Amino acid sequence: MKTKAAVLYEANTPLVIEELDLDDPKEGEVLVKIGAAGICRSDWHFMAGEAKTALPAVLGHEGSGVVAEVGRGVTSVKPGDPVILSFVSRCGRCHFCTTGKPNLCDLHMATSTTMLDGTHRLHKGSTNYTPLSKLACFSQYSVTPETACVPCPTDLPMDKAAVIGCCVTTGVGAVVNAAEVKPGTTVAVVGCGGVGLNVLQGARLAGATRIIAVDINEGALEFAMQFGATHSVNPSQQDAEARVREITGGLGADYTFEVFGSGKTVEMAYNMARKGGTVTIVGIPPDGDDPSIDAVALVRQEKTLKGTYYGSAQLQVDMPRMVELYQTGRLNLDDLITRSYRLEDINEAYQDLNRGEVGRGVIMEF
Ligand code: CND
Ligand code: ZN
């Protein structure tokens, strides 16, 4: 069949909307009609050449849709089922899948530019197109692994389902699964965009009492107050590390999170944590932009420094929990989504992201 998709041919050039050929789903795969796709900074990293993949590529890793057709052997979904798309597909057999860490599936990572069997479904002429995260949801239709599909309720709007596909699960999961924030503690979040806002509301959910939003964009700081922030700090206007110490009684925060993606902001999050505190890195710095961390201080101050991929989540279990938290009013996804776009306007959507428009943008028309 044909599908209209946004293609990245070369870093630092606009995405090109064009029609591609899409193969039928093979065994263990599903054809999904995309319902919504979020504008996440992770896709931008590829557009800006800050992260690399094989080009041309169809990006889009935060999505939702409705199953249109299933390949041989598919049992967990059927045509007509609404699904949240997981940007990691698990093989179910590797060390990580079998020890409760399916977000780190070896086969998924080893086949990062193709489907799980090492082949492509998107083509034009003799050219194969990389399906980013095996989802490629900047497209009308996508063929995904069955294990990328997490069934969701039919009354869950597609835009809410899409954001659960990345920023919600990543942000809330960073708090509850990775850092394991305890009630009554202090939290600082560096970078309060789509993902950071969910770290903030995850911290509120976990019972943190002082929740400090840190961002260079005043609009983002103001917006963050709706998502659980109790204090805001702008590093371009004040000594942010000193201000966080001041808010936390001279100690530094119990938990800090880096949610922008740069060596400098990793250092900032690291320095904002108290002795014995936990520093969790969510953002993805450009290749080579590494933080400088003093190993001796790490020892003497007993800090914990950890990374978290996809909210350290068990997607099939944690995503339905996010749906439940939204539907019972504990997670605010209604205000999180601030703008919607047509696929044709995707370059403008990324300009808005980089201009610092607050909240999350979502493509709703394909
Ligand atoms: P988005 O652009 O929406 O937010 C980034 C925020 O950081 C904005 O509000 C900026 O103003 C703010 N910011 C920029 N520079 C600074 C600075 N020097 N100090 C403080 N704040 C600053 O991005 P997003 O929320 O979509 O993504 C954030 C990061 O998370 C990004 O690197 C993305 O690739 C990564 C990510 C990680 C994972 C994961 O599994 N770990 C999943 N999805 C996205
Ligand atoms: Zn993302």
Side-chain angles (χ1 to χ4, degrees):
M1 68 180 291
K2 302 276 185 198
T3 186
K4 187 172 65 178
V7 180
L8 178 66
Y9 279 100
E10 203 185 323
N12 298 304
T13 64
L15 299 179
V16 179
I17 305 292
E18 65 181 310
E19 205 166 71
L20 303 180
D21 294 315
L22 180 62
D23 296 343
D24 290 340
K26 289 195 181 174
E27 183 169 7
E29 295 177 354
V30 171
L31 174 69
V32 178
K33 183 177 197 299
I34 302 297
I39 300 297
C40 179
R41 182 160 290 278
S42 291
D43 299 297
W44 174 257
H45 292 318
F46 294 99
M47 294 163 71
E50 297 168 354
K52 300 275 187 297
T53 189
L55 300 179
V58 177
L59 308 179
H61 69 281
E62 176 172 289
S64 64
V66 175
V67 174
E69 198 182 313
V70 299
R72 228 163 15 99
V74 170
T75 54
S76 61
V77 290
K78 57 179 188 314
D81 286 354
V83 290
I84 299 169
L85 295 172
S86 161
F87 69 76
V88 176
S89 293
R90 63 193 190 291
C91 73
R93 287 182 291 273
C94 73
H95 173 81
F96 298 97
C97 282
T98 52
T99 55
K101 297 293 292 175
N103 61 318
L104 304 181
C105 173
D106 267 340
L107 184 62
H108 176 90
M109 308 269 175
T111 56
S112 67
T113 62
T114 62
M115 300 300 282
L116 287 168
D117 69 359
T119 65
H120 294 83
R121 304 290 167 271
L122 283 164
H123 322 268
K124 189 167 179 178
S126 58
T127 306
N128 292 322
Y129 290 66
T130 296
L132 188 78
S133 306
K134 310 189 198 323
L135 296 186
C137 41
F138 293 157
S139 176
Q140 289 173 311
Y141 287 89
S142 184
V143 169
T144 74
E146 174 182 10
T147 56
C149 294
V150 181
C152 65
T154 47
D155 63 349
L156 181 69
M158 279 285 131
D159 57 340
K160 312 302 184 294
V163 294
I164 291 173
C166 178
C167 65
V168 176
T169 300
T170 298
V172 177
V175 174
V176 301
N177 297 326
E180 299 184 271
V181 169
K182 301 287 183 292
T185 56
T186 58
V187 169
V189 179
V190 181
C192 302
V195 183
L197 290 166
N198 286 291
V199 175
L200 291 167
Q201 59 176 341
R204 173 170 63 187
L205 202 60
T209 43
R210 284 171 200 235
I211 303 175
I212 308 163
V214 183
D215 203 295
I216 53 173
N217 175 352
E218 276 300 314
L221 288 175
E222 203 177 299
F223 196 66
M225 304 309 277
Q226 287 180 57
F227 291 83
T230 58
H231 297 74
S232 65
V233 175
N234 187 334
S236 60
Q237 289 172 10
Q238 60 197 133
D239 179 340
E241 291 163 21
R243 178 68 187 126
V244 166
R245 273 195 301 280
E246 190 175 64
I247 296 167
T248 54
L251 293 174
D254 296 319
Y255 302 92
T256 66
F257 295 85
E258 194 286 340
V259 206
F260 168 60
S262 76
K264 247 185 78 185
T265 43
V266 169
E267 288 167 18
M268 193 187 289
Y270 182 81
N271 293 331
M272 284 174 175
R274 67 157 163 81
K275 284 189 237 176
T278 299
V279 184
T280 305
I281 312 304
V282 184
I284 301 178
D287 292 345
D289 182 6
D290 294 322
S292 144
I293 304 271
D294 180 340
V296 176
L298 177 70
V299 172
R300 291 211 165 122
Q301 299 180 0
E302 289 194 355
K303 291 188 185 182
T304 299
L305 175 62
K306 64 197 307 182
T308 176
Y309 193 55
Y310 218 153
S312 307
Q314 305 234 22
L315 290 325
Q316 299 284 342
V317 179
D318 285 333
M319 285 183 177
R321 286 187 183 153
M322 298 303 151
V323 174
E324 185 68 8
L325 287 166
Y326 165 62
Q327 291 190 326
T328 55
R330 265 92 151 191
L331 281 181
N332 179 359
L333 309 191
D334 293 333
D335 296 317
L336 178 71
I337 300 167
T338 49
R339 22 187 220 289
S340 68
Y341 302 92
R342 300 178 312 150
L343 184 64
E344 280 77 4
D345 300 328
I346 190 158
N347 292 302
E348 194 183 294
Y350 272 97
Q351 275 170 22
D352 287 349
L353 179 86
N354 287 315
R355 228 194 339 260
E357 291 283 342
V358 300
R360 196 56 140 197
V362 174
I363 294 176
M364 293 293 291
E365 269 181 63
F366 291 85

